[in-house]
Amino acid sequence: MPLAVRYHVAMPRPHAHLFEVEAAFPAGPDVLDAVMPVWTPGSYLVREYARQVQDVTAQGPDGQPLPVRRVDKRTWRVDARGQAVTLRYRVYANELSVRTSHLDGSHAYFNGATVFLYTEATRALPHHVTVDAPQGWRTFCALDSEEATFHAPDYDTLVDSPFEVGPHTPLTFTAAGVPHEVVVWGDSVPDAERLCADMQRICEAQARMYEGLPLKRYLFLVYLTDKGRGGLEHQASTALLFPRTGLSSNRGWEDFLTLVAHEYFHLWNIKRVKPRALVPFDYSQENYTTLLWAFEGGTAYYDNLFVRRAGLMSASRYLARLGETLSLLHSTPGRRVQTLTEASLVSWVKHYRPDEHSTNSAISYYLKGEVVCALLDLEVRRATRDARCLDDVMRLLWQRHGDGSGVPEDGVEKAASEVAGVDLTPFFDRAVRSTDDLDYGVFAHVGLELSFRMREAPNDKGGTPPRLKGEPRPKGWLGVTVRGSSTLSTVPEGTPALEAGLYPEDDVVALDGWRVDGAGLIARCEDKRPGDTVRVTLFRRDRLLEVPVVLGQKPADAAWLQRVERPTDAQKAAFQAWLGAPWDETPGPA
């Protein structure tokens, strides 16, 4: 029998949230060090998965007990004496997220990095997993399988192949000749037929860009919950977390489709074409690269774009969503503090661990990266007179690095300059290596210009022109954001609130002596004029305080892309080449 690592995963007591795992390693070294990853690819934070491992025991090939001891936070050492070793242990799984594991009476979901101990000596061997599921439950995984045993060619592939086990009946569709399954947990989908049809169109739009799909089947794992939104990409599958009520509205449906498009595009961008700094993965510590702006931000740019290309979003609606992204970027003071390259490097301690100061000290490589990639697309189009675009850059990277060898840290920039036929170093110097505001002049190539206005309501995300005609009156501005009913969540840099001494976590109770909640606080400040002084009464660590604040003028930080009044024929043609819609398309929601 060929050498392989074999796992057996059982869940006899789902309500205890404990997986019962056996890991059988072939004969090898005198001392076997079995280790657990501290992170999982695609989620750049050390999560210390070993903290959920318990009750580890070891035995030899004849069942005799072997001494095992924990030598550090993630390593169990066995005196193997060259023999085959079987480890038995349990893993606590009660966190429902795309990067962890969850087991209860309704289903089991597990990521390999959270469940499977491994050894560096056997990492390249085949890994086989047998799942012992409760009666009536089925096991879903993108790996090849025979009955209840799944086969991975190596540990890296196993880690990249999450499992879902439960009493599910999958939805199915075929895209670009490849079968796709959709397994849904948490609630039923309001319109399963429409969902599969829309997902198929998105998958096929991406397959057309790359002239086919790089796999023989694909699995969507969809978790409909009370709150939360996110996804984690894998080589032949993805896990998606989405609010169950979101699919009942047009905006929520659109958001779900962009999430599908984002994670599916990772099939190429980071799963097969990845930063060389991540090759091979080091599961013991942080893996640093400056390129997450291209691999995550670039994917964020394409997610809306592919919903548009699939005919599921109008060009006007696409521009509105891009305007919302621009609005969020320009309301984040951290863009003037942190570069995109730094944001990528310190994702391990910043992006996944936001706090009340993050808006002042950091910028998301998803957020700014999306905008930079939109501008890069237009720069390439302008330089080549629309003969080439960012698609050509992505295909060039796929051609050169799709074998998993990895993109060097300067590889994206070199590929973009090669496709554009001009040196784009000045663009990248400003966009990814400086904190200067971006140059939006390239929007003129497609007949657009970026404008700003004041936000017209607390939930105004920007992206659209002002609803009110005429010059808006100046409004008083405090500058805080509120969590819950009255707790200040952020106090951004450059705001009157920060200058006056308001703190995050202050609980506001009154304005000028009158009781007020968070929404009323902001609205009543806007009713006043810039320069007025207000008295904010609050509790800070249970102490009642009154803080005077001189209001500023509410800024015009809601961005929107408007079409130029007299577009040239070249601008109209460039617009249609970019968004696949005529310049005079009637605005609409779809």
Side-chain angles (χ1 to χ4, degrees):
M1 181 179 295
L3 291 180
V5 178
R6 302 177 187 277
Y7 300 96
H8 181 274
V9 180
M11 49 208 80
R13 300 170 57 232
H15 298 305
H17 315 297
L18 287 167
F19 287 111
E20 308 277 351
V21 186
E22 290 184 6
F25 298 94
D30 288 337
V31 175
L32 181 143
D33 281 346
V35 294
M36 184 68 79
V38 302
W39 70 288
T40 192
S43 184
Y44 306 98
L45 178 66
V46 171
R47 298 185 184 276
E48 310 293 16
Y49 294 126
R51 66 192 174 90
Q52 304 293 8
V53 177
Q54 64 184 68
D55 307 326
V56 181
T57 62
Q59 67 179 39
D62 298 325
Q64 72 276 23
L66 296 175
V68 56
R69 61 188 179 92
R70 195 168 189 164
V71 296
D72 60 31
K73 66 179 182 180
R74 62 184 289 265
T75 307
W76 285 262
R77 180 164 293 164
V78 182
D79 184 9
R81 303 169 191 168
Q83 305 175 87
V85 173
T86 297
L87 293 174
R88 289 188 173 89
Y89 55 96
R90 297 195 288 177
V91 177
Y92 185 71
N94 194 28
E95 182 181 351
L96 182 59
S97 77
V98 297
R99 61 223 170 226
T100 54
S101 293
H102 185 250
L103 171 63
D104 66 10
S106 66
H107 82 134
Y109 168 71
F110 57 95
N111 279 292
T114 72
V115 168
F116 298 124
L117 289 167
Y118 74 100
T119 76
E120 287 294 342
T122 60
R123 181 170 163 178
L125 291 179
H127 285 61
H128 306 312
V129 180
T130 300
V131 178
D132 185 0
Q135 186 174 3
W137 287 16
R138 296 175 58 188
T139 302
F140 299 88
C141 182
L143 293 172
D144 291 337
S145 65
E146 295 175 6
E147 297 181 351
T149 300
F150 294 80
H151 306 285
D154 49 45
Y155 184 77
D156 289 345
T157 304
L158 177 60
V159 165
D160 214 15
S161 307
F163 288 74
E164 169 63 24
V165 190
H168 312 302
T169 300
L171 308 173
T172 61
F173 65 89
T174 299
V178 172
H180 291 60
E181 280 190 321
V182 184
V183 177
V184 181
W185 174 91
D187 201 353
S188 59
V189 176
D191 190 339
E193 184 176 352
R194 177 191 173 195
L195 183 73
C196 287
D198 288 356
M199 292 172 71
Q200 177 188 32
R201 290 168 69 173
I202 291 169
C203 296
E204 290 185 336
Q206 296 190 13
R208 284 193 294 272
M209 174 172 158
Y210 284 101
E211 299 181 342
L213 295 175
L215 72 171
K216 58 185 179 182
R217 66 174 176 274
Y218 192 85
L219 174 65
F220 288 97
L221 302 176
V222 180
Y223 300 91
L224 300 178
T225 65
D226 57 334
K227 58 183 178 181
R229 179 189 186 279
L232 188 62
E233 69 276 3
H234 299 283
Q235 284 188 2
S237 60
T238 186
L240 308 175
L241 190 75
F242 198 77
R244 61 172 57 92
T245 58
L247 294 177
S248 61
S249 69
N250 289 335
R251 176 61 189 252
W253 191 276
E254 180 183 83
D255 283 343
F256 181 76
L257 294 183
T258 62
L259 180 61
V260 168
H262 184 102
E263 303 306 333
Y264 199 77
F265 193 67
H266 276 312
L267 275 177
W268 298 272
N269 200 35
I270 215 167
K271 295 317 302 181
R272 288 162 176 82
V273 181
K274 64 187 69 174
R276 187 169 293 172
L278 304 185
V279 181
F281 292 122
D282 183 347
Y283 298 112
S284 69
Q285 61 182 353
E286 297 88 342
N287 293 212
Y288 294 105
T289 176
T290 62
L291 291 177
L292 292 182
W293 68 267
F295 286 94
E296 290 293 355
T299 302
Y301 169 59
Y302 272 106
D303 60 28
N304 283 301
L305 198 57
F306 272 114
V307 178
R308 163 65 205 140
R309 290 180 181 179
L312 300 168
M313 180 189 296
S314 69
S316 296
R317 182 69 192 131
Y318 171 80
L319 293 176
R321 288 184 70 101
L322 182 55
E324 291 176 1
T325 300
L326 286 159
S327 299
L328 184 55
L329 175 64
H330 278 267
S331 62
T332 306
R335 76 184 191 279
R336 298 193 179 99
V337 176
Q338 188 180 64
T339 67
L340 267 181
T341 54
E342 184 186 3
S344 178
L345 280 173
V346 301
S347 63
W348 299 90
V349 294
K350 293 291 282 188
H351 180 75
Y352 289 95
R353 287 176 173 162
D355 57 32
E356 71 280 358
H357 187 57
S358 294
T359 190
N360 295 325
S361 64
I363 192 66
S364 165
Y365 49 80
Y366 285 89
L367 174 64
K368 187 175 179 181
E370 176 184 349
V371 175
V372 166
C373 287
L375 298 176
L376 177 60
D377 191 5
L378 297 180
E379 288 285 356
V380 174
R381 291 173 182 273
R382 179 170 65 177
T384 62
R385 298 183 180 180
D386 294 298
R388 308 193 79 181
C389 63
L390 189 59
D391 291 8
D392 296 289
V393 178
M394 304 305 290
R395 285 189 288 257
L396 180 60
L397 292 170
W398 169 243
Q399 175 187 341
R400 289 180 175 171
H401 307 289
D403 59 356
S405 58
V407 179
E409 292 296 285
D410 62 353
V412 174
E413 297 183 31
K414 286 185 175 179
S417 293
E418 182 177 338
V419 169
V422 296
D423 183 5
L424 293 176
T425 298
F427 171 85
F428 289 108
D429 283 343
R430 179 170 185 168
V432 305
R433 286 185 287 275
S434 86
T435 56
D436 295 342
D437 277 335
L438 300 171
D439 181 358
Y440 298 112
V442 72
F443 277 123
H445 178 68
V446 289
L448 301 174
E449 57 186 10
L450 184 63
S451 297
F452 290 91
R453 59 170 176 78
M454 285 195 299
R455 296 178 192 263
E456 298 174 336
N459 62 349
D460 183 356
K461 297 180 179 180
T464 56
R467 290 176 300 173
L468 303 177
K469 303 301 181 181
E471 188 70 22
R473 70 166 182 82
K475 294 183 177 182
W477 180 56
L478 191 61
V480 298
T481 60
V482 179
R483 182 184 71 249
S485 63
S486 61
T487 302
L488 302 188
S489 56
T490 63
V491 182
E493 187 71 35
T495 61
L498 183 70
E499 295 303 317
L502 294 181
Y503 295 176
E505 303 303 323
D506 285 348
D507 286 320
V508 175
V509 294
L511 182 73
D512 291 336
W514 295 92
R515 185 170 61 182
V516 70
D517 61 9
L521 171 71
I522 294 172
R524 286 174 56 185
C525 285
E526 290 185 1
D527 286 340
K528 298 181 178 294
R529 292 189 170 275
D532 288 352
T533 298
V534 296
R535 295 176 290 112
V536 180
T537 306
L538 55 90
F539 280 103
R540 179 178 298 162
R541 295 186 290 273
D542 295 335
R543 183 179 181 184
L544 187 64
L545 301 173
E546 184 176 274
V547 178
V549 183
V550 178
L551 297 177
Q553 179 168 325
K554 187 176 181 180
D557 62 355
W560 59 291
L561 289 161
Q562 63 175 333
R563 306 182 193 217
V564 298
E565 289 188 8
R566 296 180 178 83
T568 65
D569 289 342
Q571 286 174 317
K572 291 180 179 180
F575 181 91
Q576 180 152 4
W578 178 39
L579 294 185
W583 170 265
D584 56 355
E585 174 203 56
T586 301

